[in-house]
Amino acid sequence: MTVHVFDSDPNRCSRCSITRFADKDDPRFYRCRPSWHETWMSIAHNIAERSYDPQLKVGAIVVSDDNTRMLSVGYNGNYAGGPNERESTIPGEGGFLHAELNCIIKCDYNHPKKKIMYVTHSPCRACCKVLVNAGISRIVYDIEYRDTTGLLILEQSGVEVIKYRDEEHN
């Protein structure tokens, strides 16, 4: 069951526009549709749970800009067949491939539409450079990573950057 969200306007749901005092015969009363941002970010968070990293689980997905296709998924983890354990407990030196890289490696580049990446944490500087070269047109992230300098690279390269929690979730 999806719950109605009465945030910016206390009398109107920000998801489906139903009013707080709506008639129970209105079909929206029982079914509130999540936005695309909510849908895709939820999938990214679920994918992150596949990571073996006990310190930071990151998930990423690439979708078409018209929201009709999920093109790729990735999470932070080791190389195929490698051990499912960190190389070090020092932050930034865990040795796992980043979720964004795992996602980009699997992405179909023959898809002609613009691509959007949803990622649970803002990408690091090195991943941002890869995402620019991969032609990702928009990045939507949920949680700020400890180093946000890569976001400037994205913005300077014309990639739209959206912080999920700051969005209206329309």
Side-chain angles (χ1 to χ4, degrees):
M1 179 174 128
T2 304
V3 179
H4 294 285
V5 178
F6 299 98
D7 49 11
S8 58
D9 180 346
N11 292 316
R12 186 169 300 281
C13 176
S14 61
R15 285 185 177 159
C16 70
S17 300
I18 195 169
T19 61
R20 182 177 294 278
F21 307 104
D23 184 352
K24 291 185 178 182
D25 291 333
D26 187 329
R28 295 175 300 167
F29 187 83
Y30 297 101
R31 168 94 169 86
C32 185
R33 220 164 100 148
S35 71
W36 283 115
H37 281 331
E38 290 172 304
T39 301
W40 297 131
M41 192 58 73
S42 173
I43 292 170
H45 278 284
N46 283 330
I47 292 296
E49 291 301 313
R50 294 205 34 89
S51 173
Y52 281 96
D53 191 336
Q55 291 182 334
L56 184 65
K57 295 180 182 298
V58 181
I61 65 170
V62 172
V63 300
S64 60
D65 72 340
D66 63 358
N67 294 306
T68 60
R69 292 187 183 205
M70 185 167 36
L71 302 171
S72 184
V73 301
Y75 54 89
N76 56 322
N78 219 340
Y79 58 92
N84 292 321
E85 56 192 39
R86 291 179 60 93
E87 294 173 6
S88 169
T89 57
I90 299 170
E93 297 181 23
F96 285 135
L97 291 171
H98 290 197
E100 302 91 332
L101 292 178
N102 269 329
C103 191
I104 290 298
I105 288 167
K106 300 170 196 158
C107 195
D108 178 7
Y109 287 97
N110 295 318
H111 189 76
K113 296 179 181 175
K114 289 183 180 179
K115 296 168 185 66
I116 301 169
M117 176 174 277
Y118 285 84
V119 60
T120 57
H121 294 71
S122 60
C124 73
R125 191 171 177 82
C127 284
C128 286
K129 292 177 181 180
V130 170
L131 297 174
V132 168
N133 284 356
I136 301 296
S137 61
R138 182 182 308 147
I139 306 288
V140 181
Y141 71 93
D142 193 7
I143 302 162
E144 282 191 354
Y145 184 61
R146 66 178 171 266
D147 176 12
T148 59
T149 59
L151 298 179
L152 184 59
I153 292 170
L154 294 172
E155 290 170 356
Q156 289 173 340
S157 300
V159 177
E160 182 181 4
V161 177
I162 298 172
K163 184 165 184 351
Y164 171 69
R165 299 288 178 183
D166 291 343
E167 282 291 293
E168 290 283 332
H169 308 304
N170 295 348

